């Protein structure tokens, strides 16, 4: 064949391949114009092309190596004893780090990722026991699923000559054991250590992994204030290891030479019983004790005596050993060391929370209030001083690990900028779609962190670009440099015949160095998303993520999003519009997406979010419910997100919502979103403001440039009456030049609490004319006016707030202002106005909180029937809702009981609300339902003629100004206190309280019924 | 410029620069360099082979691909090299791989079935058809020579992609053509070579 003829063949072959298979026949017949030989040749090549499949698709060296492997597999010889100098998989062994009961550990270089790792080999005597091997592999695999900053990462489990080899993070620093040798660990460092390690245990326990061998040698201090736990679960894998085999390098203590590990066993471990997670909590308690005091709680001259001490002796209180320790820490450690595990902390998160509280310095006595129970006698059964063989499930420590600083591809602190895919096909369906798909895929990685679009937009604007500018590789690289990101990911798609080629490349945006690249082919358009998923998984691994998380957290793209390219296209357009235009504009795109794929869970989830934002809570609930039903069709992080939102917004089950966030945090410790959700939407509802502050701080730490997080800090600090810290949080936001529409209401509230009229006016002025913000400030002004009895003014502000909300097309807020007006009138004794407002509110919205407000107003003015109807309806609609069941309904029923003059029933009703009574609705930026249960309880006690109890309730309201804020019950509580004292016959105190109320209401409208009553009551006093 | 030498005994992961230097020398016509390069490639080959012996997980492409990429990275220093250009370097290392691997196959008499055809899980259909008709590296080398007489660029593409482990993009850069052209060349060459190795006929042209 000559070269012209060949060119003809080649060109016809390509043209044929570019056509759909069913058209090729006709095309060739036509194009060959009767040249049968030509036609046969091209046809033969087309056939061959179809059959070739993955022919030549694997690199030659691999093919050759496989062949060689088959040739040599028979005479495989075991390698020499020491692996130093050998290469195992892609790890070159450099030197030995240590040895112990758990095996031998070597330092090695990961040639592929150019980083140092530690390799752990099984001890020789176990290496030939198939059952031990199985167990070891299983445990190592389980442990490799743990991804937590305080757990030494297991990258993968390799095999060398049939022996498992654990490849793990190489750690630098010293073990806690070495650290303790230098003396007790200072208190702040100790708390940090305790918090991090208990946090790590919480993460492991949540996955059902128990460490079983917590001891100082297994805890590494990698840098000041950062610790890591080693060897999760491995103790179980090597059950034949017992303390007798401890090496002689164990520590010298005051008592002389004593064996190590026994001292950290839990009583149940010593007894050889089945152990659970609580055993780890005990062992870590022993470690904390030792770190705090420099000596161990349970000592003895030999194993048996130590075991006896673990079982029967009560340790000396830590602060008696080290007088610098606080009583609060004593309490925590003593509780951790309870012999009866039922008496101990039950979950790692509990003790972590106590330690955290201690660190925050806000320990208001909860920890100290825990009584130190007398040692449980139940377990003082006759313990025979004989330890059955094989009882002690222990393992030896490994020496030191040293981490030599080498730069891996990326670290888990780097972020990544995703560029738009270069679309070399003529098909616009890929524009935007592939980047969105890639983002979903990569967000599953707990290791990689993608720069969010919002931040990209802001940076684009700083670069003088339009916020929706195309992210070409050049633009993306500049973005990446400005944001200090680790890498930019460039992708491309090209069409070759009916096939598609996708490429993906990670580039260091400072040096331009290529960090990793990958490509995949799709046989046709329907397989493009598959191919995209493949490139994503591959790049995750190549960039340094542990293989176990890549495999575990890698829902295929068509399952994580949608198998429909068109639906994904519509969805990604929606996401884009959301950023440039707003939530409302994104809705039609999402709707289009679910039209094309009615099972597109993520699209429902975002429809839910968008509908909430535009004030359509009931429509939003429908979408969120649908997303929740389809949640298995999303990726891991989306699943957590959907579950948390579903429980919070649809069922209202706060406990479940909190749990969703907690598991989310465990799986994705780098994600700020669950922390943000906990601090902004979950903990405030149940009145746990300290936890909310903690979460907000954690969220800020992870995501310091998100303005909303500072608002959450401000709100929660304010709720705790910690106004200086609230202001400091605002200062932090200012320093970062951040702004959020939450700031004006938050600042208004702190100004209100400090009687700073100018400060309040400033925030009102700042938000005037801003749709969606203005109405909130007007609402606050209305409440403020009502707080000092200026009712006409309050009505005027409420009217303006409603107008403003309606102008901004925000239905729910408008209805909320009606409900608030109604309640205010009800409290003040204006039945007619209250009824009118409540009717208006329920007409505007069937939302949960509005309905409650209206119902309470009806209950106050004696419209029992309507109050009860609304209450019953709430109960039916929200059977799982924490706020409804434990706050709203008890309050409503109690109020109705008070009206029926059945005070004791009312008090009984309100018992259920006690744990939640400091909680508030978060449907607006001020928690307007807060402390109503307390107010009604105060009224019930008044009705029951229990003055002392009534005074205590009203006083509680006065003591929680940060939560009550501008609510009129804050003013009326003074009157409540006055009446309570009067009931007790304490006329002096009553007089003072009446004066407080009347002073507060000195400018009040004179015709308010409750004011007239108060004046009359006061006048009767001598 | 310093001339690198290999350490005595087992070749132990020579620094990339060393391989680079040898490659350059070889491409400049220094035949002794090939003698020094060959054991390095063999070493890598053995290392990979022992990996496969330990864990035969067919179709597990993530591992295998990472491994092979790494092999190339170890052999050739993509980043640190100071060649006249990357393209030159890629071309030379692909030729080298072809040369060494084919020689190795000839010497070890790699039998049919031990060679080219690797069928991934996605291609069950091909496995049925392809099956026994797999060809070895030696036959492939011969077929490539035959194709080179018709269309040398297509053979270069195969050399770079299959032997050199280059991506489509990189091959395009070397050949100074568009990636689409590389993909076209690749699919034609694959069809042609597959037919050749599978014993198909050329229908009388």
């Amino acid at each position: 064949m000559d070269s012209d003829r060949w060119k003809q063949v080649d060109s016809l072959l390509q043209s044929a391949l570019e056509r759909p298979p069913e058209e090729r026949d006709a095309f060739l017949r036509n194009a060959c114009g009767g040249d049968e030989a030509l036609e046969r040749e091209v046809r033969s090549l087309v056939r061959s092309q179809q059959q070739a499949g993955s022919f030549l698709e694997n690199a030659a060296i691999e093919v050759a190596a496989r062949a060689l492997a088959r040739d040599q597999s028979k005479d495989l010889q075991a390698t020499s004893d020491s692996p130093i100098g050998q290469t195992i998989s892609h790890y070159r062994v450099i030197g030995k780090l240590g040895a112990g009961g758990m095996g031998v550990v070597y330092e090695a270089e990961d040639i592929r990722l150019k980083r140092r790792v530690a390799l752990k080999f099984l001890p020789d005597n176990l290496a030939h026991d198939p059952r031990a091997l199985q167990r070891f592999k299983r445990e190592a695999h389980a442990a490799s699923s743990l991804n937590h900053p305080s757990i030494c990462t297991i990258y993968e489990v390799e095999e060398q000559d049939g022996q498992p080899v654990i490849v793990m993070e190489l750690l630098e620093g010293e073990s806690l054991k070495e650290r303790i040798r230098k003396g007790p660990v200072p208190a702040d460092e100790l708390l940090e250590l305790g918090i991090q390690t208990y946090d790590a245990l919480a993460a492991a326990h949540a996955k059902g992994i128990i460490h079983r061998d917590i001891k100082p040698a297994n805890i590494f201090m990698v840098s000041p204030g950062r610790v890591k736990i080693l060897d999760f679960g491995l103790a179980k894998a090597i059950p034949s290891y017992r303390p007798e085999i401890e090496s002689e390098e164990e520590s010298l203590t005051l008592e002389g030479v004593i064996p190590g590990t026994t001292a950290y066993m839990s009583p149940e471990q010593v007894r050889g019983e089945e152990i659970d997670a609580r055993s780890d909590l005990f062992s870590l308690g022993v470690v904390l004790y030792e770190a705090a005091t420099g000596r161990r709680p349970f000592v003895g001259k030999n194993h048996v005596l130590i075991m006896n001490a673990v079982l029967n002796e009560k340790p000396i209180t830590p602060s008696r050993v080290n007088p610098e320790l606080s009583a609060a820490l004593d309490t925590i450690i003593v509780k951790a060391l309870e012999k009866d595990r039922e008496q101990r902390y039950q979950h790692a998160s509990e003790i972590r929370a106590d330690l955290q509280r201690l660190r925050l310095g806000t320990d208001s006595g909860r920890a100290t209030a825990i009584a130190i129970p007398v040692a449980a006698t139940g377990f003082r059964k006759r313990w025979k001083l004989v330890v059955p063989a094989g009882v002690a499930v222990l393992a030896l420590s490994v020496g030191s690990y040293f981490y030599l600083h080498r730069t891996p591809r990326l670290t888990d602190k780097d972020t990544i900028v995703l560029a738009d895919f270069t679309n070399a096909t003529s098909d616009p369906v890929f524009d935007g779609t592939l980047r969105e798909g890639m983002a979903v895929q990569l967000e599953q990685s707990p290791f990689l962190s993608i720069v969010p679009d919002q931040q990209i937009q802001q940076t684009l604007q700083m670069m003088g670009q339009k916020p929706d500018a195309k992210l070409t590789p050049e633009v993306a690289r500049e973005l990446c440099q400005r944001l200090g990101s680790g890498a930019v990911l460039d992708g491309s798609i090209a069409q070759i015949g009916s096939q598609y080629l996708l490429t993906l490349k990670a580039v260091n945006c400072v040096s331009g160095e290529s960090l990793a690249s990958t490509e995949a082919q799709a046989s046709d358009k329907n397989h493009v998303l598959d191919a995209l998923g493949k490139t994503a998984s591959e790049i995750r691994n190549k960039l340094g993520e542990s293989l176990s998380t890549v495999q575990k957290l890698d829902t295929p793209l068509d399952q994580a999003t949608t198998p429909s390219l068109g639906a994904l296209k519509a969805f990604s357009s929606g996401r884009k519009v959301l950023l440039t235009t707003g939530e409302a504009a994104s809705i039609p795109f999402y709707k289009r997406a679910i039209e094309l794929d009615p099972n597109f869970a993520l699209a429902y989830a975002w429809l839910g979010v968008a509908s909430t934002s535009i004030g359509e809570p009931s429509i939003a609930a429908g979408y969120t419910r649908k997303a929740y039903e389809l949640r298995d069709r999303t990726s891991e992080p989306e699943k957590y997100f959907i579950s948390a939102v579903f429980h919070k917004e649809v069922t209202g089950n706060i406990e479940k919502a909190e749990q969703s966030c907690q598991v989310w945090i465990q799986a994705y410790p780098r994600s700020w979103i669950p922390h943000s959700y906990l601090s902004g939407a979950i903990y405030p509802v149940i009145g746990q403001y300290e936890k909310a502050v903690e979460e907000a701080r954690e969220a800020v730490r992870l995501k310091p440039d998100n303005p909303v997080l500072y608002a959450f800090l401000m709100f929660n600090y304010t709720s705790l009456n910690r106004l200086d810290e609230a202001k400091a949080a605002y200062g932090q936001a200012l320093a970062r030049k951040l702004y959020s529409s939450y700031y004006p209401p938050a600042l208004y509230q702190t100004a209100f609490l400090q009687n700073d009229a100018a400060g309040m006016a400033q925030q009102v002025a700042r938000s005037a004319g801003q749709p969606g913000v203005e109405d909130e400030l007007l609402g606050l002004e209305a409440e403020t006016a009502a707080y000092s009895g200026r009712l006409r003014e309050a009505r005027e502000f409420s009217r303006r707030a409603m107008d403003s909300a309606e102008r901004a097309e925000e239905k729910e807020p408008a209805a909320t202002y009606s409900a608030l007006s109604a309640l205010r009138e009800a409290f003040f004794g204006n039945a007619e106005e209250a009824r009118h407002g409540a009717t208006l509110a329920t007409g505007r919205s069937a939302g949960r909180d509005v309905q409650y407000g209206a119902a309470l107003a009806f209950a106050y003015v004696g419209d029992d029937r309507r109050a009860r109807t609304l209450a019953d309806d709430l109960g039916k609609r929200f059977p799982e809702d924490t706020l409804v069941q434990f706050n709203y309904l008890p309050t409503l029923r109690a109020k109705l009981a008070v009206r029926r003059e059945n005070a004791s029933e009312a008090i009984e009703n309100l018992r259920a609300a006690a744990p939640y009574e400091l909680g508030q609705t978060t449907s607006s930026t001020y928690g307007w339902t807060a402390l109503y249960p307390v107010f009604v309880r105060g009224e019930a006690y008044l009705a029951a003629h229990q003055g002392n109890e009534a005074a205590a309730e009203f006083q509680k309201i006065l003591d929680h100004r940060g939560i009550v804020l501008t609510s009129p019950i804050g003013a009326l509580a003074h009157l409540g206190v006055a009446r309570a004292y009067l009931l007790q016959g304490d006329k002096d105190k009553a007089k003072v309280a009446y004066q407080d109320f009347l002073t507060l209401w000195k400018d009040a409208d004179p015709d308010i019924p409750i004011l007239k009553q108060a004046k009359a009551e006061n006048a009767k006093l001598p | 410029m310093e001339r690198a030498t290999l350490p005595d005994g087992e070749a132990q992961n020579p620094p990339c620069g060393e391989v680079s230097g040898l490659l350059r020398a070889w491409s400049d016509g220094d035949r002794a360099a090939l003698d020094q390069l060959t054991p390095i490639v063999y070493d890598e080959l053995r290392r990979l082979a022992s990996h496969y012996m330990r864990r035969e997980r067919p179709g597990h492409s993530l591992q295998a691909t990472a491994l092979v990429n790494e092999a190339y990275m170890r052999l050739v220093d993509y980043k640190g090299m100071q060649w006249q250009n990357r393209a030159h370097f890629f071309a030379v290392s692909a030729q080298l791989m072809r040369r060494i691997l084919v020689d190795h196959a000839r010497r070890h008499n790699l039998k049919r079935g031990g060679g080219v055809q690797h069928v991934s899980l996605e291609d069950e259909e091909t496995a049925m058809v392809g099956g026994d008709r797999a060809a070895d590296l030696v036959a492939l080398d011969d077929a490539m020579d035959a194709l080179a007489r018709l269309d040398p660029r297509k053979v270069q593409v195969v050399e770079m992609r299959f032997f050199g482990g280059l991506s489509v993009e990189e091959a395009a850069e070397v050949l100074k053509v568009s990636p689409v052209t590389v993909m076209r060349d690749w699919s034609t060459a694959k069809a042609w070579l597959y037919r050749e190795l599978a014993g198909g006929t050329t229908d009388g042209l």
Side-chain angles (χ1 to χ4, degrees), chain A residues 423-478:
Chain A
N423 183 359
T425 74
S426 50
D427 193 340
V429 76
F430 298 116
D431 290 333
T433 314
L434 297 180
R435 182 176 184 274
E436 188 68 39
M438 183 54 63
V440 169
Q441 282 304 87
L442 294 182
E443 273 160 8
Q444 298 186 48
S445 161
F447 174 79
L448 298 176
S449 169
I450 313 259
V451 176
D453 286 347
Q454 224 173 348
Q455 203 174 348
I456 288 194
Q457 260 193 323
Q458 287 166 2
T459 316
L460 278 173
Q461 278 164 325
M462 290 195 309
M463 286 161 56
Q465 300 259 17
K466 279 191 191 158
D468 58 348
K470 195 166 165 53
L471 300 178
T472 61
E474 294 72 37
V475 172
R477 187 163 165 193
E478 188 182 340

Side-chain angles (χ1 to χ4, degrees), chain A residues 189-212:
Chain A
E189 213 181 306
L190 182 78
L191 288 177
E192 199 49 55
L193 173 103
I195 291 164
Q196 288 180 28
T197 45
Y198 275 110
D199 198 57
L201 283 185
H205 292 168
K207 295 196 167 182
I209 298 173
I210 305 171
H211 191 292
R212 293 163 191 270

Side-chain angles (χ1 to χ4, degrees), chain A residues 328-389:
Chain A
L329 187 64
D330 273 352
T331 315
I332 293 175
I333 292 179
V334 167
K335 187 173 176 193
L337 295 183
E338 278 295 337
K339 310 232 182 266
D340 177 358
R341 58 185 167 192
E342 301 296 333
Q343 304 291 319
R344 257 175 242 157
Y345 285 98
Q346 299 294 300
H347 297 286
S349 57
E350 290 172 5
I351 180 162
R352 181 198 57 192
D354 276 355
L355 290 167
Q356 226 150 11
R357 215 166 285 132
L358 208 57
R359 182 182 59 178
L360 287 172
T362 58
D363 185 51
S364 49
R366 201 204 126 171
T368 40
I370 302 165
I372 300 172
V374 186
T377 47
F379 281 106
R380 298 222 177 183
K381 290 176 190 162
R382 269 158 247 102
W383 163 251
K384 291 178 194 146
L385 285 178
V386 177
V387 185

Side-chain angles (χ1 to χ4, degrees), chain A residues 414-606:
Chain A
D414 287 320
T415 55
I416 287 187
V417 172
L418 266 187
D420 276 318
F421 271 68
T422 307
N423 183 359
T425 74
S426 50
D427 193 340
V429 76
F430 298 116
D431 290 333
T433 314
L434 297 180
R435 182 176 184 274
E436 188 68 39
M438 183 54 63
V440 169
Q441 282 304 87
L442 294 182
E443 273 160 8
Q444 298 186 48
S445 161
F447 174 79
L448 298 176
S449 169
I450 313 259
V451 176
D453 286 347
Q454 224 173 348
Q455 203 174 348
I456 288 194
Q457 260 193 323
Q458 287 166 2
T459 316
L460 278 173
Q461 278 164 325
M462 290 195 309
M463 286 161 56
Q465 300 259 17
K466 279 191 191 158
D468 58 348
K470 195 166 165 53
L471 300 178
T472 61
E474 294 72 37
V475 172
R477 187 163 165 193
E478 188 182 340
L479 271 168
C480 171
Q481 286 169 349
R482 281 174 181 259
L483 291 163
S485 290
V488 57
L489 270 189
D490 294 335
S492 72
I493 183 165
Q495 186 175 11
I496 303 104
S498 57
Q499 294 193 31
Y500 292 85
L501 174 74
L502 279 130
T503 66
L504 190 63
K505 195 167 63 181
V507 178
N508 175 322
C509 56
V510 179
S511 67
E513 178 195 16
S514 165
L515 298 170
S517 69
T518 169
E519 60 185 42
Q521 285 170 39
S523 51
D524 56 40
K525 201 161 151 183
N526 293 330
H527 290 89
V528 165
L529 293 182
D530 284 353
L532 187 71
K534 268 181 214 151
T535 59
S537 321
E538 229 171 276
I539 210 92
R540 282 169 66 181
N541 188 235
K542 285 186 178 177
L543 287 173
E545 184 174 344
S546 122
L547 203 56
S548 77
T549 59
V550 175
Q551 283 166 347
K552 194 153 169 277
L553 302 172
D554 196 15
T555 312
L557 187 60
D558 56 342
Q559 284 167 40
T561 55
T562 167
S564 155
L565 208 51
L568 187 59
K569 170 80 185 167
F571 177 73
S572 62
S573 305
R575 300 270 287 148
K576 194 140 198 167
V577 169
L578 166 76
L579 289 169
T580 51
T581 319
E583 255 115 0
S586 68
I587 289 177
F589 289 98
Y590 298 146
K591 285 190 172 161
R592 171 83 188 131
I594 55 173
E595 226 172 81
L596 291 170
D597 175 9
N599 289 322
F600 193 171
L602 207 50
Y604 286 105
W606 280 98

Side-chain angles (χ1 to χ4, degrees), chain A residues 895 898 903-904 906-907 934-954 972-984 994 1017:
Chain A
K895 184 65 204 176
V898 171
S904 59
I907 292 162
V934 179
F935 191 72
V936 173
R937 193 186 289 119
E939 292 180 329
Y941 278 125
L942 281 183
H945 299 284
Q946 290 175 256
N948 267 340
E949 287 79 1
E953 294 303 316
F954 291 119
L972 298 177
H974 288 289
L975 185 57
V977 170
R979 288 170 171 172
Y981 284 133
L982 196 57
L983 208 55
Q984 287 301 99
Y994 274 117
E1017 287 160 23

Side-chain angles (χ1 to χ4, degrees), chain A residues 771-913:
Chain A
V773 187
E774 183 188 62
D775 61 285
E776 285 192 9
L777 271 293
L778 287 168
L780 281 168
E781 283 195 285
E783 292 288 278
T784 305
Y787 188 84
S788 45
R790 289 173 285 126
L791 185 56
R792 274 184 195 84
E793 216 177 299
R795 287 172 182 162
E796 177 58 18
F797 276 124
S798 286
R799 194 190 52 72
R800 285 173 57 195
M802 284 179 239
D803 289 351
S804 174
E806 273 172 358
R807 270 198 307 277
E809 292 181 2
E810 296 197 323
K811 290 181 196 161
E812 199 70 13
T816 303
Y817 302 129
S818 301
L820 277 168
S821 305
L823 262 174
R824 171 199 307 150
E825 300 287 356
F827 288 138
F828 290 1
N830 292 322
E832 207 40 56
E833 288 82 353
R835 249 182 234 119
H836 174 73
T839 311
L840 199 65
T842 48
R844 277 189 159 125
S845 160
R848 182 192 67 169
D849 305 324
V850 168
Q851 188 165 332
Y852 166 60
L856 193 57
F858 284 129
Y860 261 89
V861 299
D863 200 336
D864 292 7
R865 189 186 51 81
R866 290 175 77 179
R868 199 166 292 119
T869 311
L870 289 174
D872 290 348
D873 180 58
L874 271 180
K876 262 185 228 129
R877 281 167 58 207
F878 301 98
E880 270 189 72
D881 191 306
T882 310
L883 206 51
V884 168
Q885 298 296 335
F886 294 100
N887 183 326
Y888 294 179
L889 292 183
T891 307
L892 280 170
R893 291 188 181 124
K895 184 65 204 176
L896 291 169
V898 171
R899 289 203 50 86
R900 289 197 312 273
E901 293 179 0
N902 191 343
S904 59
E905 188 194 316
I907 292 162
E908 189 52 41
N909 271 324
L910 284 165
R911 230 177 269 284

